Amino acid sequence: MLSAAERVFVRNGFRDATIAEIAREAEFAVGTFYNFFKSKDDLYAQVLDGIVREFVAEFERDVQQRDDPVDALSALIDLRMRVFDRHREFFRLFFEQSAAGVKLTGRHLKLREQYRASVAAIFAQGVKRGLFDKLDPLYAAICLDGMLNAFVRHWSAHEGGNPSPERLKIMKETVLSRFRVRRN
Amino acid sequence: MLSAAERVFVRNGFRDATIAEIAREAEFAVGTFYNFFKSKDDLYAQVLDGIVREFVAEFERDVQQRDDPVDALSALIDLRMRVFDRHREFFRLFFEQSAAGVKLTGRHLKLREQYRASVAAIFAQGVKRGLFDKLDPLYAAICLDGMLNAFVRHWSAHEGGNPSPERLKIMKETVLSRFRVRRN
Amino acid sequence: MLSAAERVFVRNGFRDATIAEIAREAEFAVGTFYNFFKSKDDLYAQVLDGIVREFVAEFERDVQQRDDPVDALSALIDLRMRVFDRHREFFRLFFEQSAAGVKLTGRHLKLREQYRASVAAIFAQGVKRGLFDKLDPLYAAICLDGMLNAFVRHWSAHEGGNPSPERLKIMKETVLSRFRVRRN
Amino acid sequence: MLSAAERVFVRNGFRDATIAEIAREAEFAVGTFYNFFKSKDDLYAQVLDGIVREFVAEFERDVQQRDDPVDALSALIDLRMRVFDRHREFFRLFFEQSAAGVKLTGRHLKLREQYRASVAAIFAQGVKRGLFDKLDPLYAAICLDGMLNAFVRHWSAHEGGNPSPERLKIMKETVLSRFRVRRN
DNA sequence: CATGAATGAGGTTTCATTCAT
DNA sequence: TATGAATGAAACCTCATTCAT
């Protein structure tokens, strides 16, 4: 139901997604949606909300738990790719601030700030323990996010969104080694 | 004329930008536009085209010319920030593939591939000369683009799109040092 | 049940009154109404019917009974104000022919004619007995109705529909003396 | 244009008048209306405004000018019937406060108060000069309005809105003599 | 070339009514 | 009988596009 809407929003963007098409995709009548959602805006907000909640929950469970910053980063990359696999384009709104022609609203913007702060904290830990290069933690977090977004976009355009495990591994190694101190 | 359209497209997104508003902003009559542009889509394509051409020209002149890969990368970062300063959100379409609710069309998609290949070539050179870490050049290019996009977005949201020269310098150093081999 | 509908019809007018709101007000389920009423129109007709019946019954009992035309008129004024107090806006439909965006239907239109004819008959009696000015009885009845409606509307707008007994008395004297022959 | 809207509003009431029907009646396209009126509400307000302005102008010219209260009242009755002839049901909104399922808004409500005060002033004059029965001027004005409304409604329902000159004359005499002092 | 009133298809939203439980 | 989720026709309104001036 929400997922039908997500599909159409992703396909067409917010403005070009019509209620009629969403209804058809969900095999409901047009009016039925208005028993569940106040408006098109409300529908969009709820779709986004579900995905963000899901991501935040998994982030807290899989990433924040870990003591070792390198493990945490590794888990974060895995999570990002997993979420991407489930929600493709849609969660770009969360990571890139705008997508599908819609802007994030207050609540989600705040969640995103929290997420970024948490990632920065992981970097701060890593630097302190001598595991990562000396970098401003916030800037490091920005770099990490940017790289992951770029790979998501790249594969979205080039491999139909399904990179081989092989490529995923190389990507992961490439990204992680941008931050880890090198021993030579 | 095109710049009025750009302003409105950026303000409202593609679908929410009305011809009437663009006409008002450009101080032309609605009908006049249809002497210059076949349609709203055509107008959008031409706006994008101008910006892309401008970027490609400056890329060739300021970046591709340079022999030293480190210099080239440095110049590229400068260029990206310059373009961002001139066209803000709009060129995100080029670098992030979708923005304002519109997708890139064939011709521009190809130009983007060429651009990325050129950046990859710079990395290839740099690796060969032992200036950069050993990395797949394409993946390195993807990482670079992603980081730059992330900073653009970050400042777009946090400093009104105008980072201080100080911050720009730190960013540049942060990004560049992600790729350069470290001597210790 | 009918009274819940009346409240909502008065609050919102016919078209803006929704079955859902009526159902909520009556603490019934939407579907339940369709076991009692064929349609929204039917519901409206039944609400109106109840009020008209009530008025006609009281008219016959309190007004038509009286032999003295002046007493009858006095009782009619009292009755009109009483009904107004009970049903406020709603009975305007009966006296003013249209209200709440609905027109009277045949049966009620006929009842209204009968009512007016009865009032005219009272005037005819009064004229014959030399109690009232010489006037066409129908025109006198029209004048009376019009004045009473006007006061109802006036108080509806100015005193929240609750004129003081003092004001009611003055009104009654004002209206009655429009018709009684004056001795001087 | 406005008159086409007036016709449809009168025929169907506000809610049941559709933009499509108004457009058809005016032989314009639906969208054309939205070049002249912000919304359906706005259209309604403008229709009402035109009629009210017209009435107020004629009231000031034909009624307020007169020195003799009896002449003034006589002119007022003529005016009311004239306006009624031009605008039928629609001006009922002004005199009866609600019709066609719409309420008067602030500005018009105020104008109506002014109108009623002016009529009351005429009565006050008439009473002072011994031409009218001793009555509270406001209550007299209310009575007058109510009677005129009642006749308008009566003829609207019974003679297709076109009473004969004969009947108009009787009505006028009937109404006027409700207020004039009788010599006997 | 320049204009801007006119167009009408198409979008979002409401709500009376039905029907399976 | 009672329920209320599902329906879809129909309403209001927008806006890209045309064309007569």
Side-chain angles (χ1 to χ4, degrees), chain A residues 131-149:
Chain A
L131 297 165
F132 295 149
D133 283 351
K134 273 194 180 169
L135 283 179
D136 178 282
L138 176 61
Y139 279 26
I142 291 172
C143 285
L144 176 68
D145 258 9
M147 286 189 275
L148 295 177
N149 287 334

Side-chain angles (χ1 to χ4, degrees), chain B residues 12-30:
Chain B
N12 302 355
F14 180 74
R15 272 300 296 265
D16 288 333
T18 68
I19 298 289
E21 187 174 352
I22 293 170
R24 213 180 313 122
E25 182 106 6
E27 299 186 327
F28 272 95
V30 176

